[in-house]
Amino acid sequence: MSRTIVVTSGKGGVGKTTVTANLGVCLSELGSKVLLIDADTGLRNLDLMLGLENRIVFNCFDFLDGKCTIEQTLVRDKQTEGDLLLLSLTKNREERSLSEDEMIGIISKLREKFDFILIDSPAGIDEGFRISIAAAEEALVVITPELASIRDADKVIGLLLSKQIEKVNLVINRVRPEMVQRNNMISVDDIVDILSTNIIGVIPEDKNIIISTNRGEPIVKDKNKSLISQSLKDTARRITGQKIPFLDLESHWIKRLFFKRQRS
Ligand code: ADP
Ligand code: MG
């Protein structure tokens, strides 16, 4: 059975596109057929993060205008083991944007070909958000441990529920255990109390993301075994229904500090 999941947040810059690209790679490496849809027509950077920016030939309007088949609008990521494809909902020259009905039509044509369709949504709760959620049955809400992000997520969760999207899971991104320890950052437990929504992923802050983004290679492909990579892989497994315990980021952080001190 196919699952269509919108990756959303309310607040921009919290890591939706990063999470979508990495979970796409992980889910396809776990054996699922995965389609990623870039519904952030304004910023459109899912193709960059996957290193596919030069491979897009047709967009969804070419399909809607009868110039190509729906399959021709999909770009396959040949660098990833398994089936990972990308559909970019770029605006055409007339800046026409997709309607909710057109989005529903496109997804219904593609649904049976994939196990997972992940839709990367733009920031905000306006038109782009409405189109992104139009055909979704589930949502991943990405937040960072900051009040502004949590408040926006609260609003978004309310909107999702009002659209009958009831299966909502949280991904907490850019967690810095050392700041939580010093009481300078909101903890995961506090977030659970505020949002009372199930948490499916806790992803640490990692400055190496910049390198992977610039290379067009999601960080989970990195050969170095990093905490961020492990936490993204665990999140993908939880999405498929596996019961995976959460990494204890705090104790990992303390261990790292301890070894650093021992070495110095
Ligand atoms: P969004 O799609 O929500 O706007 P992006 O995925 O584009 O957010 O990420 C915004 C910025 O945050 C990017 O520069 C990205 O590299 C950075 N970023 C995302 N996740 C992390 C992380 N876990 N650690 C460090 N930087 C991150
Ligand atoms: Mg984005």
Side-chain angles (χ1 to χ4, degrees):
M1 207 191 69
S2 162
R3 290 168 61 188
T4 306
I5 308 175
V6 62
V7 182
T8 184
S9 68
K11 191 173 182 308
V14 294
K16 290 179 294 297
T17 305
T18 308
V19 166
T20 307
N22 281 286
L23 290 182
V25 171
C26 294
L27 288 168
S28 68
E29 286 181 347
L30 287 171
S32 297
K33 289 192 166 73
V34 184
L35 173 66
L36 302 182
I37 299 187
D38 189 350
D40 191 349
T41 52
L43 294 175
R44 196 175 75 101
N45 43 24
L46 194 51
D47 55 343
L48 283 175
M49 281 198 198
L50 292 163
L52 297 175
E53 68 277 16
N54 297 324
R55 304 252 321 275
I56 297 170
V57 180
F58 294 109
N59 68 30
C60 61
F61 296 102
D62 295 319
F63 162 69
L64 293 171
D65 296 341
K67 291 181 193 149
C68 69
T69 63
I70 190 79
E71 286 77 13
Q72 284 176 303
T73 63
L74 308 182
V75 178
R76 179 176 286 274
D77 178 5
K78 294 180 187 153
Q79 309 300 323
T80 296
E81 248 175 74
D83 291 306
L84 180 64
L85 288 94
L86 172 71
L87 168 61
S88 226
L89 302 185
T90 33
K91 289 187 179 177
N92 60 0
R93 252 172 267 126
E94 295 86 47
E95 289 287 297
R96 172 183 153 203
S97 49
L98 216 61
S99 70
E100 288 172 48
D101 283 345
E102 285 170 331
M103 180 71 168
I104 292 168
I106 287 176
I107 301 267
S108 71
K109 279 206 172 304
L110 293 167
R111 189 164 270 155
E112 65 202 31
K113 302 184 203 305
F114 294 94
D115 301 309
F116 286 98
I117 299 179
L118 301 186
I119 303 164
D120 181 21
S121 72
I125 48 173
D126 305 325
E127 192 196 7
F129 171 76
R130 283 201 303 277
I131 293 163
S132 302
I133 67 168
E137 299 142 347
E138 300 177 36
L140 285 181
V141 175
V142 181
I143 63 169
T144 53
E146 296 156 292
L147 273 181
S149 163
I150 295 168
R151 196 185 46 203
D152 287 359
D154 195 28
K155 202 184 287 170
V156 161
I157 292 167
L159 287 171
L160 291 167
L161 293 177
S162 75
K163 297 281 178 190
Q164 271 74 50
I165 301 174
E166 278 157 19
K167 192 165 177 188
V168 179
N169 285 297
L170 283 182
V171 175
I172 309 177
N173 189 26
R174 306 192 79 158
V175 173
R176 294 172 61 182
E178 77 280 16
M179 287 188 72
V180 176
Q181 275 240 324
R182 290 188 204 119
N183 277 333
N184 287 335
M185 191 174 252
I186 301 162
S187 72
V188 172
D189 288 343
D190 290 340
I191 294 171
V192 174
D193 282 348
I194 300 168
L195 293 177
S196 51
T197 301
N198 184 54
I199 294 180
I200 204 154
V202 179
I203 319 293
E205 168 89 16
D206 190 328
K207 57 182 182 328
N208 291 318
I209 281 265
I210 301 167
I211 305 168
S212 81
T213 306
N214 287 345
R215 258 198 230 136
E217 239 181 49
I219 199 155
V220 288
K221 289 191 179 174
D222 203 343
K223 300 252 171 351
N224 298 328
K225 285 202 170 74
S226 58
L227 269 186
I228 187 166
S229 177
Q230 189 58 48
S231 63
L232 285 158
K233 285 176 185 167
D234 288 352
T235 306
R237 289 213 171 83
R238 286 187 206 105
I239 291 172
T240 66
Q242 292 183 39
K243 298 234 175 313
I244 310 282
F246 283 87
L247 290 173
D248 184 351
L249 294 181
E250 257 172 57
S251 72
H252 274 282
W253 170 72
I254 290 166
K255 251 187 243 156
R256 246 190 353 229
L257 199 73
F258 181 66
F259 285 128
K260 251 192 218 159
R261 284 210 184 121
Q262 270 198 329
R263 267 190 253 126
S264 60

